[in-house]
Amino acid sequence: MLGGLGLLSLLVPRPPPHARVTVAATVPPQAWLVRRLGRDRVDVEVLLPPGASPHTYDPTPQQVARLASAQLVVEVGHPSFLFERRLLDALTSRQPPPLVVDMMSAVAGANGETDPHVWLSPAVMRATARQVSAALVRLDPGAAPLFRQQLAGVLADIERLDADLHRTLDGLPRRRFLVYHPAWDYLARDYGLEQVAIEAEGKEPSPRQLVALVERARRDGTGIVFVQSGYYDRPARAVAGEIGARVVAVDPMAEDWPANLRRVAALLRGALGGGASGG
C-alpha cells in the first residue's frame, strides 16, 4: 500500500505557470473534496465509473492513457480495490511519479479486513482534506493562499456536517440498521450505530442465515433496509417483506458527499425511532 505525504518522492511534478493540477481520484466523494480544495486550479478524473464495482473493475487502456499525466492521485488504498494497485503501478513507474494521498492512512489500525468505504467517515475525510491540500501546495505553490483558504472552508463544512449528524443520530432508541452490502460501517461507528449486513463475505445468505436475520431484525425493531441501486437485492427485499421494513436505495459513492450523509442520517433517524425521515 502506498503511504501518505510522508512517503512521497522528492521528485515532485510541477505544472507550468497557471496550468491546472491534474488529479486522479478513485471515487466521486474524493473528487468532491479535490474540487472544493482546488477550485479552478485542478482538473479531476474519477477512476471508478457510475455503477461499477470497485472490487472487480479494471481500468480501460483509454483511461490509463488519460491518467498518464496525473500529478496527484487520491486513492482509497484498500487491498480489495485491486484496480488501484494496477493503475498506480503504471503511474508510479514514470519519472517523476505522481504524489499519492492514501485515505487508509487516516484509519487507525487499518488492515485488509476493514470496510473499504472509508470516505463515509467525516473524521477520515477531514484528515484526507489536509493531506490533499498539502499536496496541492507542493504542486502549485503559487496558488498556496487559495488552497489554504479553501482548506479552512472545507474543514469548517466538515465540522458542521459532523455536528448535524450527531444531532440527527445521537440518542436514538434503536441503534441497529440493516444493509444488503456492508458499506456503512465507518458512518455507523462514528455515530454509535451498528449496521447488520445481509450479504455475508460477498455471498448471498443461506436460508438459515436469512431466518436468523429476520428474527434479529424483529427483535431490534428494524424499520429500514438499505440497498444500492443497480445491485442485486432480492434477499434484502425478502427480509424487508418479512419484517415490514422499507427498502431504500442509498449510494455510498454519491459525489455530493455532505448531502448524501445528511440524507442517510435522516433516513436512519426516521427508521430508528427519532422522527420523520428524509426521502
Side-chain angles (χ1 to χ4, degrees):
M1 181 183 299
L2 295 174
L5 289 175
L7 300 180
L8 296 174
S9 169
L10 294 177
L11 295 171
V12 178
R14 292 286 176 86
H18 310 301
R20 295 186 179 190
V21 176
T22 56
V23 184
T26 298
V27 293
Q30 294 169 328
W32 170 87
L33 180 66
V34 174
R35 291 186 179 111
R36 281 292 313 277
L37 291 168
R39 300 295 295 262
D40 61 354
R41 304 290 296 196
V42 298
D43 281 324
V44 186
E45 169 95 13
V46 179
L47 306 185
L48 199 65
S53 168
H55 308 292
T56 59
Y57 181 67
D58 194 20
T60 65
Q62 294 82 1
Q63 190 175 37
V64 174
R66 286 199 306 272
L67 296 172
S69 61
Q71 297 156 283
L72 172 61
V73 177
V74 184
E75 66 164 341
V76 174
H78 193 274
S80 69
F81 282 27
L82 297 176
F83 76 97
E84 277 188 339
R85 172 55 47 220
R86 291 192 291 271
L87 187 61
L88 283 168
D89 284 347
L91 293 180
T92 55
S93 64
R94 72 164 203 245
Q95 292 298 326
L99 302 187
V100 179
V101 170
D102 175 1
M103 291 195 88
M104 290 296 293
S105 68
V107 181
N111 57 58
E113 301 304 316
T114 58
D115 179 355
H117 301 81
V118 290
W119 60 88
L120 296 175
S121 164
V124 172
M125 196 67 108
R126 185 185 301 118
T128 303
R130 293 191 175 100
Q131 288 187 308
V132 170
S133 181
L136 292 175
V137 169
R138 290 188 66 184
L139 290 165
D140 187 2
L146 169 68
F147 297 145
R148 291 177 178 134
Q149 179 183 31
Q150 289 301 112
L151 175 62
V154 168
L155 293 177
D157 287 348
I158 293 174
E159 290 300 324
R160 281 191 289 272
L161 172 64
D162 183 44
D164 288 348
L165 296 180
H166 274 294
R167 278 192 293 270
T168 302
L169 298 174
D170 286 354
L172 295 178
R174 295 186 293 276
R175 312 300 296 172
R176 293 192 185 102
F177 62 97
L178 269 173
V179 300
Y180 182 66
H181 180 69
W184 300 91
D185 189 48
Y186 285 98
L187 181 72
R189 283 190 283 174
D190 280 2
Y191 300 97
L193 304 177
E194 180 186 350
Q195 72 167 3
V196 177
I198 295 171
E199 180 186 79
E201 298 180 352
K203 300 176 183 177
E204 286 188 50
S206 67
R208 179 177 296 180
Q209 288 171 324
L210 271 177
V211 169
L213 280 166
V214 167
E215 291 176 351
R216 181 179 184 181
R218 284 176 175 153
R219 291 195 303 269
D220 292 340
T222 301
I224 199 166
V225 181
F226 284 159
V227 298
Q228 289 178 237
S229 297
Y231 284 74
Y232 178 77
D233 60 8
R234 185 182 299 171
R237 294 187 179 277
V239 171
E242 288 291 327
I243 64 176
R246 294 173 62 200
V247 176
V248 179
V250 291
D251 181 8
M253 296 190 191
E255 181 165 347
D256 191 342
W257 177 76
N260 193 40
L261 292 192
R262 286 188 171 98
R263 174 181 179 250
V264 170
L267 288 165
L268 288 170
R269 182 173 180 84
L272 300 177
S277 66

